[in-house]
Amino acid sequence: MSKKNSRLQSYVSQQFVDFDLEHPTQRLKSLYSDFSSLHILNEIGYDANVSYWRSVILDCNCHGFLGNADYRLAFDLEDLPDQFQHSRLGKPMALQCVIDAMVQQGDLISLDGFLSRYALPTASSSRWSVYNVVKTWVWPIKSSSASATYVVLPTLERVVKYILQSYANQPVTQADAHLLTFPEFRERHRELLIDNEEIVLTDADLWLVLRYLRSRAGVSVADDVKGYGANYTVVKIPHTIETATVITQQDRAIVSIKTTCHALRAQVDELQMKSDELTALAKQHYAEKRKPQALYAFRRKKHMMDILDRRLKSLETMETMLLRIEASQNDLQVVQAFNIGADALQSVLRDGKLSVATVDEAMLKVQEAFEDQKEVEDAINMGAEQASKFTDVDDDELEKELQELERQQEDVSLATSPPLRKTVQSAPPPSRTDSELARISHLFSQLRKAEPPPSKAPVWDSREQKENDQERRAPSGIPAMFSQ
């Protein structure tokens, strides 16, 4: 089992339950058997097997486990059974039925059919021309292998959608931002990161993408644009999918200048490197006491520096020219925007709805509306004043009523509040001296009571004595006057 086959088998066993390497299921045995006869005997089982294999093939190609040496977006039918060879079940025997069904459903297309359907407009469209800066080399398609090669359209469409989306999300800062040579297109889109998965495309895949982009997305492709030292394939991506692009003479001039600048930069780097090498060689000869060789190395370095200065001046001129062309194209876009805006403004003014008369009429209406509003407000204020005359009340009477209400509330609050407790301060306890004096006074009073009455009775008033006698004779609780 090859390394490529082992990678595919390992991936399939992880993604699909039935593809168990150690314990193949009955469903897997049915998938690896020759079920082509089931198309008549058991159509439901036949369709189920074909649908299962279709999912496996599309998933493996989408994730880079099914392809060939030249393509990432296509595979060879002859190699397909070998790539799915199982250690216990062998090769699947009915893959041709699956491929035919996928072709009918539009999932697959033969390479010959793809090239004829999505042909390039030039006579060299039958070849894949891949150019670099220095030389051009051509890679023809072999008809023997092309007939057995199938392009996977869902994977191709996924890549094309990602590329177009990258340009749609890119802000347009320059007029020629979407004008690329094929080396620039290859450098930008050879390695893609789609849904956190890295996809590496070959040059053949990129040409399939360009053919599809030209036919379905309005991308313009030309392989006869003259550049520095060679003809270049130029790709122009539209700003929107709905519009088609055309490579103009200005685009061809920009490509020529850009390729010249690229070549001049490469020459400047090479001349600088050779100059540094000659300087090091001259130092080595001088250190080894070989003065003529050192002088010769310095003389060559001087020639190199003269050429380097000329190349730098040419590069500066070309870059300045390219910058001015790009600035002119950007200015043209700005002027076009100005013209569109001016036309729109004039169309609004010509409509008659916006003029000096309509503006004056509108302002007059606004002024009349304000005046009407002021009249309404004045009428409301006047009505309020008239109504207040019928409801006038003397303020002095209201003040008296308010004071009477406050006095009543104070009386109620005093009547409902609890009485204050009077705090009686208790007398301090008598001292010892005071108690002795009180005891002595008590003794003297007892002695005075014990003395005999005087011999001569006091003279009482006769009337007072008579009343006292009557009170003693009267019953208790009855006054004397009632007792008589």
Side-chain angles (χ1 to χ4, degrees):
M1 183 181 295
S2 63
K3 182 178 180 181
K4 185 175 182 180
N5 179 269
S6 62
R7 290 181 62 251
L8 178 61
Q9 290 292 335
S10 176
Y11 173 77
V12 171
S13 63
Q14 294 176 2
Q15 297 296 322
F16 299 92
V17 179
D18 295 321
F19 281 83
D20 193 347
L21 299 177
E22 299 297 333
H23 305 286
T25 61
Q26 291 295 328
R27 179 66 186 281
L28 186 61
K29 294 178 181 180
S30 175
L31 292 172
Y32 271 76
S33 64
D34 186 7
F35 57 84
S36 58
S37 59
L38 294 178
H39 182 61
I40 300 175
L41 301 177
N42 186 2
E43 187 176 357
I44 297 177
Y46 175 85
D47 293 339
N49 289 342
V50 170
S51 178
Y52 198 105
W53 272 114
R54 174 183 176 275
S55 302
V56 172
I57 292 174
L58 293 180
D59 186 77
C60 292
N61 179 261
C62 180
H63 293 88
F65 293 95
L66 185 60
N68 57 22
D70 300 329
Y71 293 97
R72 167 68 169 74
L73 305 176
F75 62 87
D76 295 331
L77 178 60
E78 298 176 354
D79 299 336
L80 195 61
D82 295 332
Q83 295 185 19
F84 283 101
Q85 183 177 1
H86 197 274
S87 59
R88 296 188 178 185
L89 301 177
K91 300 178 182 179
M93 303 176 64
L95 288 181
Q96 184 63 52
C97 301
V98 178
I99 299 302
D100 294 340
M102 295 179 68
V103 171
Q104 293 179 0
Q105 295 177 10
D107 296 326
L108 300 178
I109 183 174
S110 65
L111 185 57
D112 290 340
F114 184 89
L115 296 178
S116 61
R117 179 183 298 181
Y118 306 102
L120 292 176
T122 60
S124 60
S125 60
S126 60
R127 294 174 174 268
W128 295 333
S129 304
V130 181
Y131 303 101
N132 53 26
V133 177
V134 180
K135 61 182 180 179
T136 305
W137 55 279
V138 181
W139 184 6
I141 300 174
K142 297 180 180 180
S143 58
S144 59
S145 61
S147 60
T149 304
Y150 287 89
V151 180
V152 184
L153 290 180
T155 307
L156 176 63
E157 292 172 354
R158 181 168 175 248
V159 172
V160 168
K161 181 180 179 181
Y162 179 83
I163 293 175
L164 292 177
Q165 191 66 33
S166 65
Y167 284 99
N169 296 333
Q170 179 182 357
V172 181
T173 56
Q174 296 179 354
D176 61 340
H178 294 181
L179 185 65
L180 305 171
T181 61
F182 183 79
E184 294 173 339
F185 183 83
R186 175 178 53 194
E187 182 180 0
R188 182 176 297 184
H189 302 297
R190 183 174 179 270
E191 297 181 359
L192 303 177
L193 186 63
I194 304 177
D195 297 334
N196 296 326
E197 180 183 359
E198 184 178 2
I199 297 178
V200 180
L201 302 177
T202 63
D203 289 344
D205 291 326
L206 292 175
W207 277 103
L208 295 180
V209 170
L210 285 177
R211 288 172 177 269
Y212 193 88
L213 284 172
R214 180 189 172 275
S215 300
R216 295 297 182 89
V219 175
S220 182
V221 181
D223 61 353
D224 58 345
V225 179
K226 185 174 180 58
Y228 185 84
N231 290 336
Y232 286 82
T233 299
V234 178
V235 181
K236 189 174 183 180
I237 310 294
H239 297 289
T240 58
I241 301 177
E242 292 78 9
T243 59
T245 58
V246 178
I247 297 178
T248 62
Q249 292 298 327
Q250 290 83 2
D251 297 332
R252 293 174 180 269
I254 290 175
V255 169
S256 178
I257 295 175
K258 289 173 67 176
T259 54
T260 303
C261 291
H262 192 278
L264 288 175
R265 293 190 194 98
Q267 293 178 13
V268 167
D269 294 339
E270 184 178 0
L271 289 172
Q272 186 64 49
M273 182 180 63
K274 289 183 178 180
S275 176
D276 295 339
E277 291 177 354
L278 290 174
T279 302
L281 182 61
K283 291 181 179 179
Q284 181 181 356
H285 288 318
Y286 185 79
E288 296 176 354
K289 306 299 182 181
R290 291 182 291 185
K291 186 176 180 180
Q293 289 84 348
L295 292 176
Y296 177 71
F298 275 121
R299 192 176 296 110
R300 288 184 60 192
K301 176 187 175 182
K302 187 177 183 303
H303 293 318
M304 290 289 179
M305 295 303 296
D306 292 340
I307 298 175
L308 179 61
D309 291 338
R310 291 198 300 269
R311 292 293 181 270
L312 287 174
K313 291 180 181 178
S314 300
L315 179 61
E316 181 181 2
T317 303
M318 298 299 292
E319 288 183 342
T320 302
M321 187 181 302
L322 180 62
L323 182 62
R324 290 183 177 180
I325 292 175
E326 293 176 349
S328 300
Q329 288 188 343
N330 294 331
D331 293 339
L332 178 61
Q333 297 293 329
V334 174
V335 172
Q336 290 177 356
F338 285 161
N339 290 329
I340 294 173
D343 294 339
L345 183 58
Q346 289 179 358
S347 64
V348 172
L349 296 176
R350 285 195 301 266
D351 192 17
K353 296 180 180 179
L354 182 63
S355 61
V356 177
T358 57
V359 172
D360 292 339
E361 183 179 357
M363 298 306 297
L364 181 60
K365 290 181 180 179
V366 171
Q367 185 176 359
E368 291 177 354
F370 286 163
E371 292 176 355
D372 295 340
Q373 182 188 13
K374 189 174 185 308
E375 291 179 358
V376 172
E377 291 180 353
D378 293 341
I380 293 173
N381 294 331
M382 186 179 298
E385 292 177 358
Q386 292 294 334
S388 62
K389 293 180 180 179
F390 297 100
T391 58
D392 285 343
V393 181
D394 191 2
D395 294 338
D396 295 336
E397 294 181 0
L398 297 177
E399 187 69 24
K400 291 180 180 180
E401 291 183 3
L402 181 61
Q403 293 177 359
E404 181 66 21
L405 180 62
E406 291 179 352
R407 186 184 62 77
Q408 293 177 1
Q409 290 181 352
E410 291 178 357
D411 295 341
V412 171
S413 61
L414 291 175
T416 56
S417 59
L420 298 177
R421 293 183 62 184
K422 296 181 178 181
T423 56
V424 180
Q425 185 176 4
S426 59
S431 61
R432 185 175 181 181
T433 306
D434 296 338
S435 21
E436 288 294 331
L437 292 175
R439 187 176 62 82
I440 294 171
S441 299
H442 179 68
L443 291 176
F444 278 111
S445 63
Q446 292 294 332
L447 291 176
R448 282 195 298 269
K449 290 180 179 180
E451 290 180 359
S455 58
K456 188 177 181 179
V459 181
W460 296 78
D461 186 49
S462 58
R463 186 177 179 181
E464 182 177 358
Q465 182 177 3
K466 184 177 180 181
E467 289 177 358
N468 289 336
D469 292 340
Q470 290 178 356
E471 288 179 359
R472 285 197 297 269
R473 287 193 300 267
S476 59
I478 301 176
M481 64 180 61
F482 293 104
S483 61
Q484 295 177 4

